[in-house]
Amino acid sequence: MNNEIARRRTFAIVAHPDAGKTSLTEKLLLFGGQIQVAGAVKSNKIRKTATSDWMDIEKQRGISVTTSVMEFDYHDYKINILDTPGHQDFAEDTYRTLTAVDSVIIVIDGAKGVEAQTLKLMEVCRMRNTPVIIFVNKMDRETKDPFDLLDELEEQLQISVRPLSWPIDNGARFKGVYNIYEQRLNLFQPSKQVVTEKVEVDIHTEELEQHIGSRQAEQLRADLDLLEGVYPEFDHQAYLDGHLAPVFFGSALNNFGVQELLDCFVEIAPCPRPVQALERMVQPDEQKFTGFIFKITANIDPNHRSCIAFCKICSGRFSRNTPYLHIRHNKQIRFTSPVQFMAQRKSTVDEAWAGDIIGLPDNGTFKIGDTLTEGEVLHFRGLPSFSPEMFKYIENDDPMKQKQLAKGIDQLMDEGVAQLFVNQFNQRKIIGTVGQLQFEVIQYRLLNEYNAKCRWEPVHLYKACWIESEDPAELDNFMKRKYQYMAKDREGRDVFLADSNYVLQMAQSDFKHIKFHFTSEF
Ligand code: G4P
């Protein structure tokens, strides 16, 4: 069992849209032998044909809404890549996926540097001390100076960095990358489609000049001298603790720097890590199986209207047809057809190990955050919900379908599609999202999957704050004063829906003993 667990690398590739996440994923799959030519993996672009876009709405819009998993073997390692939605409106989904990975690769566009979404993603990684590797992409274009980029990464992402590969120039003069970690230069032919033969070059000999010319050879040697002077040795433990991010440079599209990244990644990235449950820390090599649901997607197979709940195995071995305890329902469940995911296929799996992600066919049994065990009562902590950015009243648009609508909303919220608040004053339901697209997905899915018609009505709100206080009288007083703005979330917690920043600030200064939280766990 220990061998199985030690060879697993479960991670996500995340990026600001357009930085090159899809291109990098594709190249990794090429190296893993999972696909033979690039272009087979889904992209978040409308014009590209999509192979792993599962939901109708995705096909219509060309946006990858759901998270999928790609597994492959590379040398002795078993790689599990968790794909995340390309569109920012589904950022919550990405954050949730980050609860199921042991490490993360962040892709940065070398010309644009750190972008808004990168900052937020890094924040989530920091919350959980997730080890992070940074891949600076698009070096075949005119980019910022690599030394400046390193400073920018360090400053904006608030993490120490250590380059482990180094670009030889950029833009039209880009020649490839030097592998600092292995002190080796591999030159590949640029290729958008396939993995090309590599040429190994000793940079301390004239051979280097022959391959990249004397100016660039000199520059590379000078850069490397400077790097060694400025950056301390790579500290593996600091990386594992989430304090240091190794940085790689390359061009995913042209397949430069990707193998350097992958080879180093499998060696330094953590195998499945211990997972904190409410009750205790769970070690991956424990004999008994434990796992939690971090994601639910609907309609993966358009012919069968079932959902798939994605389960991250935290410890032990999962076996098909074995009864496991569903903690929230206190019920034994046996899974007859759990699935595993290849690049574009899924197949039934008989056993899986800590670190793996399995798909469990689900008909409404699961909710995000549900825990499965062999009997022990454990609750794995998910990521708290963040206050939504946009709010709308959801109203029934077909009086005959009230029940369907209620059921649909309930199940979609279980899947974590958005957040639901019920206003305690008028009992109206308010849906909170990160972006407009989520409202459209909800409306579309309610109609297509539940035959229910909904209508959105505007509500002017600024933030949802989960409130608590050690002074019950003050809390009571506050809730009476703000009764029109008080709501309950799905867990029955009290939420204050502030309609402006000003109102929120006033409330904070008037009610000194009340704590206003912008996340659902505190
Ligand atoms: P994303 O998943 O992070 O959103 O990014 P994706 O890989 O789809 O890449 C976004 C765009 O950047 C694509 O161009 C892609 O070809 C391009 N790209 C990715 N890596 C590199 C690179 O290393 N160098 C250069 N020059 N471009 C790169 P597009 O025009 O939107 O799509 P396409 O028509 O090229 O497929």
Side-chain angles (χ1 to χ4, degrees), residues 397-412:
D397 212 22
D398 180 350
M400 306 299 287
K401 301 281 166 59
Q402 183 69 35
K403 261 197 187 149
Q404 285 89 328
L405 184 72
K407 181 176 173 211
I409 294 178
D410 221 39
Q411 292 197 349
L412 292 185

Side-chain angles (χ1 to χ4, degrees), residues 18 20-23 45 48 137-138 140-141 251-253:
D18 254 10
K21 178 169 73 70
T22 311
S23 310
K45 304 286 155 19
K48 290 184 189 163
N137 190 30
K138 306 198 187 181
D140 59 320
R141 294 213 184 140
S251 164
L253 193 65

Side-chain angles (χ1 to χ4, degrees), residues 164-182:
L164 290 185
S165 82
W166 195 250
I168 304 171
D169 228 323
N170 62 46
R173 303 167 310 280
F174 180 57
K175 290 279 166 41
V177 297
Y178 175 70
N179 188 336
I180 299 176
Y181 188 68
E182 292 186 347

Side-chain angles (χ1 to χ4, degrees), residues 322-489:
T322 306
Y324 292 116
L325 181 66
H326 183 309
I327 301 291
R328 187 168 52 89
H329 290 329
N330 191 23
K331 210 171 79 187
Q332 297 279 343
I333 307 184
R334 189 188 295 271
F335 300 97
T336 48
S337 44
V339 290
Q340 227 172 4
F341 305 84
M342 302 301 165
Q344 298 150 74
R345 295 160 276 132
K346 62 181 205 283
S347 57
T348 305
V349 58
D350 288 322
E351 59 176 25
W353 306 87
D356 284 340
I357 310 293
I358 45 171
L360 304 173
D362 172 37
N363 290 313
T365 351
F366 287 117
K367 229 163 107 163
I368 302 281
D370 275 347
T371 303
L372 290 170
T373 70
E374 289 192 20
E376 182 180 355
V377 175
L378 284 177
H379 297 85
F380 288 107
R381 272 175 213 244
L383 198 70
S385 308
F386 297 96
S387 170
E389 309 279 327
M390 301 173 87
F391 300 85
K392 285 182 188 184
Y393 281 124
I394 184 163
E395 297 294 344
N396 185 13
D397 212 22
D398 180 350
M400 306 299 287
K401 301 281 166 59
Q402 183 69 35
K403 261 197 187 149
Q404 285 89 328
L405 184 72
K407 181 176 173 211
I409 294 178
D410 221 39
Q411 292 197 349
L412 292 185
M413 297 307 128
D414 278 352
E415 277 182 37
V417 173
Q419 293 182 56
L420 174 74
F421 304 98
V422 180
N423 185 312
Q424 294 303 288
F425 169 58
N426 54 21
Q427 294 303 315
R428 289 176 80 182
K429 289 178 176 166
I430 297 171
I431 301 282
T433 67
V434 181
Q436 172 60 26
L437 215 47
Q438 275 171 285
F439 292 114
E440 293 174 33
V441 171
I442 291 169
Q443 194 162 24
Y444 177 95
R445 289 192 52 191
L446 284 172
L447 189 62
N448 281 272
E449 294 167 35
Y450 301 92
N451 199 15
K453 244 185 176 162
C454 80
R455 182 179 78 238
W456 300 110
E457 287 189 7
V459 51
H460 182 74
L461 291 174
Y462 165 69
K463 274 224 154 57
C465 314
W466 284 263
I467 55 169
E468 64 163 351
S469 175
E470 278 164 15
D471 180 348
E474 183 168 285
L475 197 60
D476 195 48
N477 184 18
F478 176 80
M479 285 171 37
K480 280 196 179 120
R481 281 261 297 276
K482 299 284 180 190
Y483 69 99
Q484 285 172 307
Y485 295 97
M486 288 311 302
K488 295 256 187 219
D489 72 3

